[in-house]
Amino acid sequence: MSQTAQTMDFDFVIIGAGSAGCVLANRLSADGRYTVCLVEAGGSDSTPRVQVPAGTITLYKSPQYSYNFESAPQTRLNGRSLHCPRGKVLGGSSSMNSMIYIRGMRSDYDGWSAAGCKGWAYDDLLPFFKRSEGNRLGQDETYHGTGGELSVDRPRDPNPLSQMFIDAARGIGLPHNCDFNAGDPFGVGVYDVTQKAAHRLSSYRAFVHPVLQRKNLTLLSDCRALSLRLEGSRVHGVYVEKEGATLLLNAKREVVLAAGAIGSPHLMLMSGIGDVAHLRESGIDVKHHLAGVGRNLQDHLDGLVTVRSSSAKTLGFSLRSLPKVVASPFKYLLRKKGWLTTNYVEAGGFARTRYAAGGDPDVQFHFVPGYRSHRGRLFEYGHGFAIHTCVLRPKSIGMLTLSREDKRAPLIDYNFLAREEDARVLIEGIKLARSILASPVFDPIRGKEMLPGAYVQSDVALLDYIRAHAATVFHPAGTCKMGIDAGSVVDPQLKVIGLEGLRVADASIMPTLVSGNTNAPSIMIGEKAADMMLADARRGKATYESAMSAA
């Protein structure tokens, strides 16, 4: 990398203005003592496609707002490559997700602690969840915060089919759960969402946009990180590209990678930090051997049950729904009601299959009050409804490496269904989803099951269906694993093992994937990382002042 690049100096440099990075930028710059630079490769989020909840469906394959990664062919999924969208916009994936506020289960975090990650048990982390949260629902303050920047509310105008789903699920023994983030998440209900006044509230809009006036906070958007600047065992900064020019952002204290489970390990590998054999094979100069970088990739594998319907109560395009579609912009602008308020997965919940261990749910449902195309299309004419079912605690572990064809691109291999347990759980989860949809509650609007299809009944046939159609819920995690074993990339303080001046703070540090959606846990990770960094900075200042006083 050029040594003549223009330089800019900061105390902290954060790579990635996503769920965790925006929290870090806010907390580290809050008291004005430290200069902070937040770097984001994507651009502005000022579009209805991002701000209006229903716009989320237009973002997943957008070349402007999404990194449209494709996985390596999945051996056990009939050689299919899977789409892996990641947010390329201020707010990162929190600007394109379904806005569901789920934290995961107590046992997830207690498991991290039991594996050696001291300070990461559920009781340790609850204060950080509460710090961010601005709960608008009057939920139990034992579990919820009311003064945080992240507004947590209910969908403004849930589709009536969402209540039908809840009623049908109760018929198979799943209770109505009004708060998945307090106590036992078992049951079904309408999901809480990160919205404010019927608009998406991304991490950027919650934590950074309101404080852009801070003189010690610099935001560089449309700015791509190229590589880390290493000297010996210390990271001193980051080379970035903006408007065709290369800049060096020096970090007097620390660089923090918050680019997500794809971006953070990829930047480390491109900087020569990773498994020595892989780096040499890829033609990258080895700066620091760390075998775990890019390993431990986990995601939630998802199976779909989708049903046709003749009812225009469901979300969909048809002559019968045309008046509702045409009226929706006016209803949204005037009353903040109607179709444009939907996040498409308003209701869902958590269930136990016969393989659930320890009593915790092992599958999650996302109910869609509209037709999910059996052909994989973004839009399909007509009406229907669907349930997505995902495996909450996958045993199959994948990895991220550098592509041989283009080392600037990550090669993502989920390694789905490497462990038979995952297939067994998903098969049972799909059976539960079918049981819900078989309820008499749906009889008035019932149509043909398009996927898996009535002829797909046996476990063998369902497994064939999963191999042909299963996808991901877009929750990649674990590729910069936190821990104390040989496969770990960061320690429990999120410092990269064997290096100084570099931390990672995003979903990539999860030792095991949380049992639910990953946005809220990533925001929590940003909160805890900022707390640890500020504590270290204060200790460092106190040590320096003590030494000067003694001198």
Side-chain angles (χ1 to χ4, degrees), residues 470-485:
T472 158
V473 191
F474 314 142
H475 296 160
T479 47
C480 295
K481 173 187 170 183
M482 172 177 61
I484 58 173
D485 62 10

Side-chain angles (χ1 to χ4, degrees), residues 234-246:
R234 182 169 184 85
V235 173
H236 290 274
V238 186
Y239 290 99
V240 301
E241 181 182 58
K242 184 170 175 63
E243 298 176 347
T246 299

Side-chain angles (χ1 to χ4, degrees), residues 14 43 49 75 193 209 219 252 288 303 379 403 477:
I14 304 162
R49 294 174 66 183
T75 303
V193 290
H209 188 264
L219 172 63
K252 289 182 282 185
H288 179 63
F379 296 104
S403 170

Side-chain angles (χ1 to χ4, degrees), residues 381-448:
Y381 185 82
H383 296 275
F385 45 93
I387 297 179
H388 289 273
T389 305
C390 72
V391 179
L392 280 176
R393 296 186 171 184
K395 306 300 182 186
S396 302
I397 304 297
M399 63 187 298
L400 179 145
T401 55
L402 298 176
S403 170
R404 291 186 179 183
E405 289 74 24
D406 181 3
K407 66 184 179 184
R408 295 171 298 177
L411 182 64
I412 304 163
D413 185 2
Y414 294 108
N415 199 27
F416 280 135
L417 299 188
R419 295 279 294 271
E420 292 183 5
E421 302 100 300
D422 296 342
R424 291 197 293 266
V425 170
L426 187 51
I427 287 170
E428 294 300 313
I430 290 173
K431 291 178 183 178
L432 288 174
R434 274 179 155 173
S435 296
I436 294 171
L437 295 179
S439 167
V441 170
F442 286 106
D443 284 349
I445 61 170
R446 186 179 309 284
K448 180 181 179 181

